[in-house]
């Protein structure tokens, strides 16, 4: 990464994470007010913050479930189309084989109505008869081959039909999963937005300060371990392309289930970045964690994906200098933040 770009990232991180630590800024919970003491929600801003975080985290988990079901639905739909094409080809082949077998049977009937000895006596040409008998045996063998191929094709056709039935059942199950996840997502986001809407303007500002301070404290604690001095890997050619893609998306809105070009969720951003780099990766953060090669944090390089939380429900792309680009959550935009600003589960490398 060019020096000027690293400097710009560092400045952005300092501005984003240290502004909340300026002298005179208060982070203690405010004295409860009528707007924060309603019986159906938390009493303090700190409690509000924790509940909002929990709702968005649960919405993120449901989003991963939705995205996985969506990907599986696409794969199953494509498989059903392929199976339908195979079934049509199989039916056409069976018809062709039956026609050939029928023609062979009719020919054998015409030529084989008399016993072989009688045919030889009546032929007047014993040598020609023997040649014809050899050809007849070859025809009989060909007929048997046709029947064998016909039986195999019919067995294949039955297997295709059974597979298509199974795929239809899976498709329907995934549609049910998608609808359940969608309902869960919308409910969690609506509940979080309701909590925020019940706050006064000043309280919303202080809530945002609390959230920024939480990220700042987490990033500071991560950096204080000295981890950054060991992280000096250079991006691969594909990694540089992926980094360019995510940085070009900064400022675009987070929308759950979105994978561009104008809106993204967290794994929609990272999967599209690596697709643009010419190296497709799984769609969801949980699948990225499960299926991509793991690397140690000290060995990570720009382009690697940092997976967050114990259930792998969030992901960002490391861009160097202790920073990631990610799509945070509903109501936010794609942004740069500290790689240690959330609990790190681990790091995966798409192009290892």
């Amino acid at each position: 990464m060019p020096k000027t770009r690293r400097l710009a990232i560092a400045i952005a991180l300092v501005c984003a994470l240290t502004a909340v630590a300026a002298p005179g800024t208060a982070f203690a919970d405010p004295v409860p007010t009528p707007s924060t003491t309603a019986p159906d929600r938390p009493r303090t801003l700190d409690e509000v913050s924790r509940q909002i975080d929990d709702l968005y985290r649960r919405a993120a988990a449901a989003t991963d479930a939705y995205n996985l079901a969506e990907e599986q639905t696409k794969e199953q739909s494509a498989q059903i189309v392929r199976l339908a094409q195979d079934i049509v080809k199989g039916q056409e082949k069976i018809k062709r084989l039956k026609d050939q077998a029928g023609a062979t049977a009719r020919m054998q009937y015409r030529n084989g109505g008399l016993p072989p000895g009688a045919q030889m006596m009546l032929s007047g040409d014993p040598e020609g008869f023997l040649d014809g008998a050899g050809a007849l045996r070859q025809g009989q063998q060909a007929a048997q081959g046709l029947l064998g191929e016909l039986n195999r094709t019919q067995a294949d056709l039955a297997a295709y039909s059974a597979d298509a039935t199974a795929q239809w059942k899976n498709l329907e199950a995934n549609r049910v999963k998608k609808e359940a996840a969608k309902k869960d997502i919308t409910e969690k986001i609506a509940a979080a937005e309701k909590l925020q809407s019940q706050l006064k303007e000043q309280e919303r500002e202080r809530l945002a300060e609390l959230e920024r301070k939480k990220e700042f404290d987490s990033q500071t604690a991560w950096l204080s371990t000295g981890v950054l001095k060991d992280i000096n890997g250079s991006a691969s050619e594909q990694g540089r392309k992926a980094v360019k893609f995510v940085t070009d998306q900064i400022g675009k809105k987070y929308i759950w289930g979105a994978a561009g070009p104008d809106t993204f969720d967290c794994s929609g951003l990272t999967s599209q970045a690596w697709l643009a780099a010419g190296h497709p990766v799984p769609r969801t953060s949980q699948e990225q964690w499960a299926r991509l090669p793991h690397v140690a944090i000290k060995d990570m390089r720009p382009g690697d994906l940092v997976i967050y939380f114990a259930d792998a429900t969030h992901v960002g792309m490391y861009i160097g200098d202790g920073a990631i680009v990610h799509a945070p959550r509903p109501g936010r935009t794609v942004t740069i933040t500290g790689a240690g600003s959330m609990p790190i589960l681990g790091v995966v490398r798409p192009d290892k």
Side-chain angles (χ1 to χ4, degrees):
M1 182 180 293
K3 184 176 180 181
T4 54
R5 190 170 182 179
R6 290 200 301 270
L7 180 60
I9 291 171
I11 291 172
L13 285 174
V14 169
C15 291
L17 296 176
T18 62
V20 297
T25 302
F27 297 107
D29 287 352
V31 175
T33 66
S35 68
T36 60
T37 56
D40 62 339
R41 62 186 198 80
R43 291 173 56 86
T44 67
L45 275 184
D46 188 58
E47 291 171 337
V48 171
S49 178
R50 285 197 298 269
Q51 186 164 342
I52 288 173
D53 283 346
D54 179 64
L55 287 166
Y56 279 129
R57 288 267 296 107
R58 289 158 66 188
T63 298
D64 239 29
Y66 177 92
N67 288 336
L68 180 59
E70 174 72 9
E71 288 300 294
Q72 290 174 338
T73 295
K74 290 178 182 177
E75 292 171 6
Q76 288 155 359
S77 296
Q79 179 66 6
I80 287 170
V81 170
R82 289 191 293 269
L83 286 167
Q85 292 170 341
D86 288 338
I87 288 171
V88 170
K89 290 178 183 177
Q91 290 171 335
E92 291 173 349
K93 185 176 181 180
I94 285 174
K95 182 180 183 304
R96 185 172 67 253
L97 289 171
K98 284 183 175 179
D99 290 343
Q100 291 175 355
T104 301
R106 287 191 295 273
M107 181 184 70
Q108 289 178 343
Y109 177 79
R110 286 195 303 269
N111 295 335
L114 294 174
Q119 290 183 41
M120 184 172 70
M121 290 178 62
L122 294 173
S123 69
D125 184 6
E127 185 176 348
F129 169 78
L130 292 175
D131 291 341
L136 180 60
R137 282 194 299 273
Q138 292 176 356
Q140 290 173 335
Q141 292 171 351
Q144 291 175 348
L146 280 174
L147 290 174
E149 188 174 359
L150 179 61
N151 288 335
R152 288 191 296 273
T153 303
Q154 288 175 327
D156 289 343
L157 195 59
Y160 294 151
S161 298
D163 197 3
T165 299
Q167 292 294 345
W168 273 114
K169 290 180 179 177
N170 291 337
L171 187 65
E172 182 58 27
N174 276 315
R175 283 175 177 159
V176 172
K177 289 179 185 176
K178 279 176 56 181
E179 288 305 311
K182 181 178 180 180
K183 182 174 183 291
D184 197 15
I185 294 164
T186 53
E187 287 177 352
K188 298 297 186 295
I189 292 175
E193 290 175 343
K194 181 179 179 181
L195 278 175
Q196 294 176 92
S197 70
Q198 291 173 343
L199 298 174
K200 294 179 179 178
E201 181 63 29
Q202 183 181 14
E203 291 169 335
R204 285 198 291 271
E205 291 174 359
R206 296 181 74 178
L207 178 63
E209 289 176 353
L210 285 171
E211 293 173 351
R212 288 193 295 269
K213 183 177 185 298
K214 182 180 177 182
E215 291 183 359
F216 172 77
D217 289 345
S218 182
Q219 174 75 352
T220 300
W222 184 66
L223 293 176
S224 69
T225 64
V227 64
L228 202 56
K229 70 177 187 298
D230 296 323
I231 302 175
N232 52 20
S234 299
S236 64
E237 181 179 353
Q238 286 183 315
R240 287 192 293 272
K241 292 178 181 178
V243 168
K244 182 179 186 307
F245 181 93
V246 295
T247 54
D248 285 347
Q249 312 314 310
I250 290 174
K252 293 185 177 180
K253 290 183 178 180
Y254 176 106
I255 297 293
W256 67 267
D262 299 318
T263 57
F264 296 89
D265 64 19
C266 67
S267 58
L269 177 65
T270 54
S271 61
Q272 287 300 304
W274 274 101
L275 182 62
H279 195 98
V281 300
R283 168 64 174 87
T284 71
S285 58
Q286 291 176 337
E287 287 293 291
Q288 290 168 2
W289 174 245
R291 293 166 55 185
L292 297 177
H294 293 200
V295 297
I297 291 176
K298 66 181 180 61
D299 296 325
M300 70 180 176
R301 66 191 188 193
D304 287 347
L305 305 182
V306 186
I307 310 295
Y308 293 96
F309 304 108
D311 54 359
T313 50
H314 191 68
V315 60
M317 180 177 292
Y318 187 66
I319 59 172
D321 296 321
I324 63 164
V325 170
H326 72 144
R329 71 183 197 195
R332 303 289 175 81
T333 61
V334 176
T335 189
I336 297 175
T337 193
S341 60
M342 296 167 284
I344 296 176
L345 176 61
V347 179
V348 295
R349 179 166 295 162
D351 61 340
K352 188 171 183 178

